[in-house]
Amino acid sequence: MKSYKDLSPSLRTIMTPGPVEVDPRVLRAMSYPILGQFDPEFTELMNETMEMLRDVFQTKNQWSFPIDGTSRSGIEAVLVSVIEPGDKVLVPIYGRFGNLLVEIAERCGAEVVILEREWGTVFGPEEIIAAIHREKPSIVAIVHGETSTGCIQPLDGIGAACREIDALLVVDAVATIGGVSLQTDDWQLDAVIGGTQKCLSVPSGMSPITYNERVEAKVLKRKTIERGLREKGSAVADGKPVASNYFDLGQLQDYWSPKRLNHHTESTSMLYALREGLRLVLQEGLEQRYDRHKHHEAALVAGLEAMGLTLYGNPDCKLPVVTCIRIPNGIDGESVRAMLLNSFGIEIASSFGPLKGQIWRIGTMGFSCNQKNVLHVLGALEAVLLWHDAAISSGKALQAALTVYARKEEERPC
Amino acid sequence: MKSYKDLSPSLRTIMTPGPVEVDPRVLRAMSYPILGQFDPEFTELMNETMEMLRDVFQTKNQWSFPIDGTSRSGIEAVLVSVIEPGDKVLVPIYGRFGNLLVEIAERCGAEVVILEREWGTVFGPEEIIAAIHREKPSIVAIVHGETSTGCIQPLDGIGAACREIDALLVVDAVATIGGVSLQTDDWQLDAVIGGTQKCLSVPSGMSPITYNERVEAKVLKRKTIERGLREKGSAVADGKPVASNYFDLGQLQDYWSPKRLNHHTESTSMLYALREGLRLVLQEGLEQRYDRHKHHEAALVAGLEAMGLTLYGNPDCKLPVVTCIRIPNGIDGESVRAMLLNSFGIEIASSFGPLKGQIWRIGTMGFSCNQKNVLHVLGALEAVLLWHDAAISSGKALQAALTVYARKEEERPC
């Protein structure tokens, strides 16, 4: 029989828009022995995770818990639970993950209305609000931070407009949670989906969500008890059952509530990781964490521009945690990425769809977002570009970044 | 702000039908720093995991990979990808997880035909084969090992009968993979779903699946490329698209193939865990592992019977890895379980639906299936039962189990 080597992954500097490096304390949490899912010690950890998620999502919503799957599992759980076939869903698209919202909504049987914006830009909220009044959708689904283009969509006023016509507002905050301000209650977001492997710096494999009583009302209308667990005479769906068992928020609520009605078997080690990751986020402080992300973004951008590189996208809507760079003419983007990985152990990202081969994307997210990493990627990128093409200016990138760091150090300790 | 304690879970002896204790080597694997999902080192680990899954599933199927979610996510991925609305699906039910197959199939829009058997028994294969010929379903979905009743369903001849009428056979082997013989190719199973948190002794959070070219043909008929990733002019679905994006095997295949077409972000640390868990299974050897499970089951059963307890279910179809025990008259089952947990740190399971309050369930699965654990649970259960009711005979359980161990030790080292 073939024998397999002991696991010994290389240590990488991961500067992509996710997955990013994981805090050693989170890695350690995953190495603890497991507890059974109904062990009182474990259910207490589940409850604490819900509490911490409320703080990170900035909400009082009771229902704040992770879906056991990667980020798009959280998106699908929310959409499949609120979209009844035939519901009109408005999706403003300004990058790849808007397309994903459309795809999932269509698979849920929605009549999808699309607004489209050129990639690298975002919508003025008034454009979306006008479309809400014109189209009167049941649901509006939108991406907060587009990692495909490095843009962030302002959400002001959209929640209020949705309430005027009794629509639900669903926000994909996979890329922003824990890295950029996200105000679930103040912005009147009805359901928000976060990701673990980006600014929370927890490995991929869970998707924290939160939703309010407006969403819950729709979920409860469609609620069924699992066939094998129904008590005699207990209610079966009065609405149209959700097309998924795994993603049925009605059943998931009962599992995450004190009822603890068995659904799936909670992913123990990932729950340990998420709880520890959230604990570290709150220990750092949300505002401090958002500032840290902006601080290192500024240093990165200063270094890239000093190198003679041009950023992609409208700077007015730049997502602080993802920086997109136009690949200079005549340079093979994949060859640069390979040399960064093989000679420096650094991973930066390529891009999707219309931007394929046009831009690189550098993430400054969570645990990966630190001075050492920023300086390392700038120095390495400059060296690799010089290797590929002497036309790129030399030696200025690190100085420019250090200037930003020096300036900030006077204001506060880094 | 509330401060949360450092994680420090108690060390439990977990003797449930899952989740069970995790080998320290698997826990260690999860504590390694992560790699990016497209890092060549990581895709090599993905490929090795596919290879090892083929060995554990006993198949040559190319498509053998984990779904990123708990066990029922694997079941849903297979069913939603093969069931087109209106398809007739035959489900023989002999416990709770047969009901789950029905529930998922109904949500996929299937016309479900049910065969039912009293819990604690299983079907003669000929009953199922007769129903296949009578009903001519498109799909037959059945549970291999029912943890709710501790019974195992023989599958001989069912695969052949399905091929005669061109039906697909989908098998839920969540409870049996890695603990009980499971011959995907020899038994002509078209799709098989495993669980991690039972006999593989990997934490919950992934569901390994395998399927053959008969299933793939159906999947490819329904294939779509994700909206955001479509090249100009590339094919869109010619069949009816799968109702889920997350569980669309057509897209998952492209992610797990050399194409590496981006879908979700693979759950890195869980992949590390699964790879290590599978490596340990193959290192032990499948036959040796199945023997180990039977060996400790024999000791457990000898001890329980010596204690004067009665097993639940037909012994002819007993699942070796789960032992169900009738709760003696006058004993409060939950009080016994609480005392086992609080005084001995042992978790055994209660039960569902019609068996609620009637039986306890003890798992002997994977890493939890060892002599120390079996003797610990027998000694503790006897003490707790004596505490609750002096009518239970005393002091014989450990001797009976030791007799089994002594007998086996002459045959081979334990």
Side-chain angles (χ1 to χ4, degrees), chain B residues 6 27 142 150 163 198 234 240 260 299 309 323 381 387 401:
Chain B
D6 271 350
L27 295 174
I142 190 163
R163 296 201 180 184
K198 298 181 190 275
S234 76
K240 191 170 272 191
R260 299 283 170 213
L309 292 170
T323 300
L381 182 60
W387 179 279

Side-chain angles (χ1 to χ4, degrees), chain B residues 215-289:
Chain B
V215 170
E216 187 184 6
K218 189 139 190 193
V219 164
L220 290 181
K221 253 183 35 188
R222 308 180 68 191
K223 187 175 170 182
T224 48
I225 304 289
E226 190 174 308
R227 219 185 124 81
L229 299 177
R230 284 174 206 154
E231 309 272 347
K232 269 218 172 80
S234 76
V236 183
D238 50 343
K240 191 170 272 191
V242 172
S244 167
N245 167 278
Y246 195 69
F247 292 136
D248 184 340
L249 294 182
Q251 293 193 356
L252 286 162
Q253 277 186 198
D254 282 347
Y255 180 71
W256 283 89
S257 82
K259 289 185 207 167
R260 299 283 170 213
L261 195 55
N262 189 227
H263 182 254
H264 61 286
T265 298
E266 186 56 13
S267 183
T268 325
S269 305
M270 285 300 304
L271 195 277
Y272 287 178
L274 178 60
R275 178 187 177 280
E276 183 67 5
L278 294 170
R279 199 174 73 92
L280 297 175
V281 168
L282 295 173
Q283 198 175 70
E284 179 174 2
L286 289 175
E287 290 304 325
Q288 288 82 346
R289 197 168 173 98

Side-chain angles (χ1 to χ4, degrees), chain B residues 79 82-91 105-106 108-114 131-141 162 165-170 218:
Chain B
L79 291 182
V82 299
I83 296 174
E84 289 186 276
D87 276 351
K88 190 190 264 195
V89 179
L90 175 69
V91 183
E106 283 176 347
C108 297
E111 179 201 331
V112 180
V113 179
I114 290 171
I132 290 168
H133 285 125
R134 189 173 66 241
E135 299 289 347
K136 304 210 168 20
S138 304
I139 293 141
V140 177
C162 285
I165 61 148
D166 201 26
L168 296 174
L169 177 56
V170 176
K218 189 139 190 193

Side-chain angles (χ1 to χ4, degrees), chain B residues 90-123:
Chain B
L90 175 69
V91 183
I93 301 180
Y94 61 101
R96 174 187 170 192
F97 292 98
N99 281 315
L100 178 62
L101 293 176
V102 173
E103 164 154 345
I104 295 174
E106 283 176 347
R107 293 191 190 223
C108 297
E111 179 201 331
V112 180
V113 179
I114 290 171
L115 286 186
E116 280 199 278
R117 257 288 194 177
E118 193 189 349
W119 287 31
T121 69
V122 297
F123 296 88

Side-chain angles (χ1 to χ4, degrees), chain A residues 117-377:
Chain A
R117 257 287 193 179
E118 193 188 351
W119 286 31
T121 70
V122 298
F123 295 88
E126 70 289 350
E127 293 174 70
I128 297 173
I129 292 166
I132 291 169
H133 285 125
R134 187 172 67 241
E135 298 288 347
K136 304 212 170 11
S138 305
I139 293 141
V140 178
I142 190 164
V143 175
H144 187 213
E146 257 293 353
T147 51
S148 65
T149 63
C151 292
I152 184 164
Q153 172 63 53
L155 299 174
D156 346 12
I158 300 175
C162 285
R163 294 200 183 185
E164 283 170 29
I165 62 148
D166 202 26
L168 297 174
L169 177 55
V170 176
V171 174
D172 165 356
V174 167
T176 49
I177 185 173
V180 179
S181 178
L182 171 68
Q183 307 290 331
T184 300
D185 288 357
D186 285 357
W187 297 350
Q188 298 184 299
L189 316 181
D190 296 302
V192 184
I193 300 105
T196 52
Q197 78 281 13
K198 298 180 190 276
C199 299
L200 295 181
S201 273
V202 167
S204 172
M206 274 194 163
S207 178
I209 64 170
T210 188
Y211 56 91
N212 62 18
E213 66 292 340
R214 301 180 77 228
V215 170
E216 188 185 6
K218 187 136 190 196
V219 165
L220 290 180
K221 254 182 36 190
R222 309 180 67 190
K223 185 175 170 182
T224 49
I225 305 288
E226 190 175 308
R227 215 184 128 81
L229 300 176
R230 285 172 205 155
E231 310 271 346
K232 266 217 174 81
S234 74
V236 182
D238 49 343
K240 191 171 274 191
V242 172
S244 167
N245 167 278
Y246 194 68
F247 292 137
D248 184 340
L249 294 181
Q251 293 194 358
L252 285 162
Q253 278 186 198
D254 283 348
Y255 179 72
W256 284 90
S257 81
K259 287 186 206 167
R260 298 281 169 214
L261 195 56
N262 187 228
H263 182 254
H264 61 286
T265 298
E266 186 56 13
S267 182
T268 324
S269 305
M270 283 301 304
L271 195 277
Y272 287 177
L274 178 60
R275 177 188 176 279
E276 183 66 5
L278 294 170
R279 198 173 76 89
L280 297 175
V281 168
L282 295 172
Q283 199 176 68
E284 178 174 2
L286 289 176
E287 291 304 326
Q288 289 83 346
R289 197 170 173 95
Y290 303 151
D291 283 350
R292 170 163 64 84
H293 281 87
K294 282 188 217 147
H295 176 44
H296 294 294
E297 178 208 23
L300 176 70
V301 167
L304 293 169
E305 289 181 339
M307 228 184 277
L309 292 170
T310 308
L311 301 195
Y312 164 84
N314 181 345
D316 294 342
C317 59
K318 184 178 178 309
L319 179 60
V321 298
V322 182
T323 298
C324 296
I325 304 146
R326 291 187 188 277
I327 299 173
N329 280 337
I331 297 273
D332 173 2
E334 288 307 288
S335 163
V336 168
R337 292 210 314 128
M339 196 168 181
L340 284 172
L341 188 69
N342 296 327
S343 301
F344 294 88
I346 295 172
E347 191 188 6
I348 68 169
S350 59
S351 50
F352 304 113
L355 293 174
K356 199 170 168 182
Q358 308 294 308
I359 64 170
W360 293 303
R361 297 175 304 137
I362 297 182
T364 40
M365 291 177 154
F367 190 71
S368 281
C369 177
N370 63 61
Q371 181 167 332
K372 181 180 134 193
N373 277 9
V374 168
L375 294 175
H376 186 43
V377 75

Side-chain angles (χ1 to χ4, degrees), chain B residues 395-406:
Chain B
K396 304 276 176 58
L398 292 178
Q399 286 87 330
L402 285 170
T403 305
V404 173
Y405 284 126

